[in-house]
Amino acid sequence: MNKTTLFSATVAIFAAIICVSGFLRIPIPGLQSAIVLQNLMCVLTAALLGGILGVAPTALFVVAGVLGLPIFAGGQGGFHVLTNINGGFRIGWVFGAFIAGLIAGKPTVEEKKIHIKTVVRISAAIILGMLLLYVPEIFYVIAFKKAELGVGGAFKLFLTAFFAPFLLVDLAKSIVGILLALKIRPVVAQYLYN
């Protein structure tokens, strides 16, 4: 199998994994959002593949969802998912995956022996990726609520309704993602890059 076919198949498989993770959704009473695994899977696949290739599964997933496939959490799909108050997260998934892939870098088989540098790099990639995926959502919440609450009030709403309730959950997901990435990256390197 040539490398282009292998990379394309890998991107498609990882995008499918992200899609499937959308069916695992835990609603939180009183909040518009829910606990989902899609954000972790976007960042984790980026850390597993590394570099620019790392963002490709997330980009494919987001484009497919925006084009209408009901693959976002809760069975949502279509362009309208970018035009509601949670739309910033879809853009944030791509942004977080891009940063995580760049920080993680291309995996190597030598990562089977875990060194502190590898742990720090992968931890930074996943934690920063998970945090940075919130950045576009800040602008969405401000855009949707500034007329009603003002910029300061909209930012406070973002912190209290979209960020703080999920911070500990996302930290726990990040820890799981780090452990998975440390274990799986050498396998990915063996199949993709050797």
Side-chain angles (χ1 to χ4, degrees):
M1 182 183 299
N2 69 30
K3 288 288 187 186
T4 304
T5 305
L6 181 62
F7 286 157
S8 298
T10 302
V11 167
I13 289 168
F14 277 55
I17 291 169
I18 296 169
C19 291
V20 169
S21 70
F23 296 107
L24 305 170
R25 181 176 191 263
I26 303 168
I28 298 177
L31 291 178
Q32 191 174 5
S33 298
I35 297 172
V36 295
L37 293 178
Q38 283 180 328
N39 58 353
L40 170 63
M41 295 312 295
C42 291
V43 172
L44 177 59
T45 58
L48 291 175
L49 296 175
I52 298 296
L53 181 62
V55 75
T58 301
L60 175 61
F61 158 71
V62 169
V63 167
V66 168
L67 289 176
L69 292 177
I71 56 177
F72 295 131
Q76 297 178 23
F79 186 76
H80 73 279
V81 299
L82 293 178
T83 61
N84 66 35
I85 196 165
N86 288 326
F89 284 120
R90 276 61 172 193
I91 297 164
W93 290 339
V94 176
F95 181 59
F98 177 72
I99 298 301
L102 288 181
I103 294 171
K106 189 168 110 174
T108 65
V109 177
E110 289 79 34
E111 290 179 15
K112 279 185 178 182
K113 290 192 173 204
I114 298 175
H115 297 288
I116 191 69
K117 285 182 180 180
T118 305
V119 173
V120 169
R121 189 178 75 249
I122 300 306
S123 297
I126 291 179
I127 291 170
L128 283 173
M130 289 292 284
L131 286 174
L132 291 175
L133 63 82
Y134 282 95
V135 171
E137 185 61 18
I138 294 169
F139 297 106
Y140 263 72
V141 173
I142 290 172
F144 275 86
K145 296 294 185 175
K146 74 178 174 186
E148 180 183 336
L149 304 172
V151 174
F155 185 72
K156 184 177 177 184
L157 174 67
F158 165 77
L159 290 176
T160 58
F162 294 90
F163 185 68
F166 302 102
L167 190 57
L168 288 177
V169 172
D170 283 348
L171 179 61
K173 289 191 282 187
S174 295
I175 292 168
V176 170
I178 292 164
L179 296 174
L180 287 171
L182 289 171
K183 189 72 173 170
I184 298 171
R185 275 175 59 91
V187 176
V188 170
Q190 181 178 352
Y191 287 101
L192 284 183
Y193 300 112
N194 285 339

